[in-house]
Every structure is written in structure tokens, then in C-alpha cells.
Amino acid sequence: MEQQGVGRTKPRRNSSLELLRILAMLMIIGHHLTKRNPTFMLLHNQPPSVSKFVFYVFIYGGGWIGNVIFFTVSAWFLAGDGRKEPSVKSGFKRAWLLEREVLFYSFSIYVALKVLARFTKIHLGIGLFVTATPILHDIWWYATSYMIFVIFAPILVTALHGIGQKKHALLCVVSLILWGVFTLIPKVNLDFVALSVFAFIYWFVLVSYYRWYMNGFSVRQCWELIICGELIYMACWFITNFVPRFRGLQEFIFLDAKLPSLMIGFGLFVLFERVHFCNGLINWIASTMFGVYLIHQHPAVNDLLWVYLFPFTKIWSWQHSVVKALLIIVCILVFGIVVDSFRRLLFTVTIDRHKGRWFDICWDSRIANNIRTKILQYTNNK
């Protein structure tokens, strides 16, 4: 949580949550090492073993836990303490600032891989028009969904405040039953598409209710959530590996944002949120995590990593495959941190010298004010 330093006016980020953000990105990279790897399916046919258990339950299973954590850290501050509602302008400004980083990596990766393709058999697979419009073409699902979410977040906060605590609580219960409990049934999703902005809205409804109305979970309750979630993961793994009838469902429980990932991710978030300290190095590293995501999750970089460099057939054939997979995950994280640190320094001396200035100019321009006035007049007349 942001804190006020002594004699300072600038809020300080809680490094405990920033550290959790780093751990979440490690989980996400681990998930991509498995899920995004075209040859990962070979593991389905392997006999049960400790290595297979770790790959599924912790490396594969950590992906949606990481997504839940990554979003919850942001949602916690977007929700606020319930006393002040964010402005519509703030949502669009967040999207504007996010778009700059997305465009930077879209073009940078395009150019870098174009050069690399001259010397290798790598196929970029993305044209210049798509590169110039990454959000519209959903190159990164998280970036697209999150950008849409931050635009709607101020309105969503106002709406949730408006319905009051009782109806908000009812909304949480219904949501958890429909997209938490029922999605534990194989082949049932009740129209829940995890890779969309809807997942963020669903999670935000839960996070905001907890922040505005509930007493904080105790340490024991957090650990109960985490352990229960892990037990569900483990139980499903054992059933799908030792009961022949369910062998085809080995991935089921680890796909999408099912109840166990919510339980584990939110339990970890609350545990870390209870601890408050400030460390500049951790905060700097954590600020590069979105860049790490954009770098390694670009579709062409996905192919480079998981088709050419680290296909799962190669990883599985290694001795101590789990340990070496973890080293690959850490190396990808470190590489991304270094690259995005240079990007941040470049932004600091260029477009971030007056951060958001161009947005403010556009938003406060006469044309924009006239458009907003016309919209308000139209809606009021209705």
C-alpha cells in the first residue's frame, strides 16, 4: 500500500506488494513455459512422477495464480478506500500511459525480430499494421483487457458504490457460485471467458467488496485459503493421473481463473499486504514487470523461446528438468528486467519528463470539452 514518508509529499509504494508482483511474474513465465510450449502435451502421456507433479501443480498451475495477484495489486489501489471516487479522466489517462509502453515494445520487438529473421529461420508472423495497433489486435490479451478495464474502472467504482453493500455482497456471492464453484465441474464455464476484460470485472467486484466492507483476513485465514486451493489442485492432479477415466482432464483445473487460483492468489495478496516496508531496489525491479510480460509474451518471442530455444521435449529430456526449467524462468525474468530498465531510463529523459502532459492538453482542449458537453446534453435530454 502507498505510504507517506516523513517530510515527503510523494506516496511511497509498499515494497511487500511490489515483491509479490515480482513473484507473480515468475509464476506467469513458468505457466507460459508449459502452456505456451507446443510440445508440452507430451507430459500428458508420461507416467506419474515427482517431476510431472511439480510441472503441473506448481509451474503450470502458478500461471493463473500469478494473473490474479498481478491484477489484484492494481485493483486494490484502483478501488481506493471507498471514500473518494476516481474521475473518468484518470481512467483514460492510465490507458494513455499504458499505451506508450505497449507501442514501444510492439515496434521494438518487430524491428529486433525483423533483423534476427535475416539470419535465422524465425518467422515474425505479424505485419506492420498489426504492430502499430497492438491493443486493437489483441497481441497481448492482458494489455488489451487491462486497458479496457482501467477506462471503465472509475464508472465501475461509482456503480458499485451506488448499489450499496447488500447488493454488492449479493453480486459477490452470485459471481463466486457461477464462475467459482460451477467452473470446478469439467466442461462447464457458464460463458466465462478467462482471457477477456470480463475476468477483471469479476475479480474487481470481489476485491472492492473486501476492501470497502470486510474486516481483513487473519494470517490463519489467509493460509487456510492458500492450503485449500493447493489441496484442490493436488486432488485433481492425483485423480486425473491415477484414474484412467479422467486422464483426458489433466489440464482442466489449471486452465483459466478457477476457484483454486483465486483462493491462493488472494490469500497470498492479503498476507503480503499486511507487511509494510519500502525498498527502492525492489520497487524499481517491480516497475519493470509489465515490460517483462510484454517482452516474453509477444507471439513471435513466444515462438523463439518455446519452439526454437526451449521446446518442452528438450527440457523434459534434461537431467533435473524441474531445476533447469526454473533457471530458464529466472533468466527470462532477469533479461526482461534489464531490457525494461533501459526502456524506463529512456522514457525518463524523453517522454516522461512531463508525464501525461500531452494527454492533459488533448483532454482539456476546446474540441474535447465541446464533445463532452454535447454528450452530457444528449444524455440529460434523455
Side-chain angles (χ1 to χ4, degrees), residues 91-104:
F92 279 95
K93 190 170 186 177
R94 285 191 181 95
W96 172 288
L97 297 176
L98 186 71
E99 175 70 8
R100 303 174 315 154
E101 187 173 350
V102 171
L103 280 173
F104 174 85

Side-chain angles (χ1 to χ4, degrees), residues 205-312:
V205 167
L206 305 178
V207 172
S208 59
Y209 184 84
Y210 175 87
R211 176 146 202 205
W212 295 343
Y213 304 118
M214 292 180 65
N215 295 324
F217 290 160
S218 66
V219 172
R220 179 177 177 177
Q221 288 172 320
C222 291
W223 280 112
E224 287 173 350
L225 275 176
I226 295 167
I227 292 170
C228 285
E230 288 293 350
L231 286 175
I232 294 173
Y233 271 165
M234 293 177 188
C236 287
W237 185 85
F238 277 102
I239 291 170
T240 56
N241 275 268
F242 289 96
V243 180
R245 182 179 178 181
F246 297 106
R247 287 274 171 83
L249 297 173
Q250 293 182 52
E251 288 186 278
F252 154 70
I253 196 65
F254 308 111
L255 291 174
D256 305 330
K258 293 187 171 62
L259 190 60
S261 60
L262 289 175
M263 295 168 69
I264 299 167
F266 194 70
L268 286 170
F269 169 81
V270 177
L271 277 179
F272 276 75
E273 197 277 329
R274 293 169 62 93
V275 180
H276 299 268
F277 70 96
C278 187
N279 181 283
L281 179 61
I282 290 175
N283 292 349
W284 174 274
I285 294 173
S287 67
T288 67
M289 290 302 101
F290 187 62
V292 173
Y293 167 79
L294 294 177
I295 293 166
H296 90 275
Q297 189 54 8
H298 187 281
V301 177
N302 253 286
D303 289 345
L304 176 62
L305 287 173
W306 314 130
V307 175
Y308 294 97
L309 297 179
F310 307 113
F312 197 78

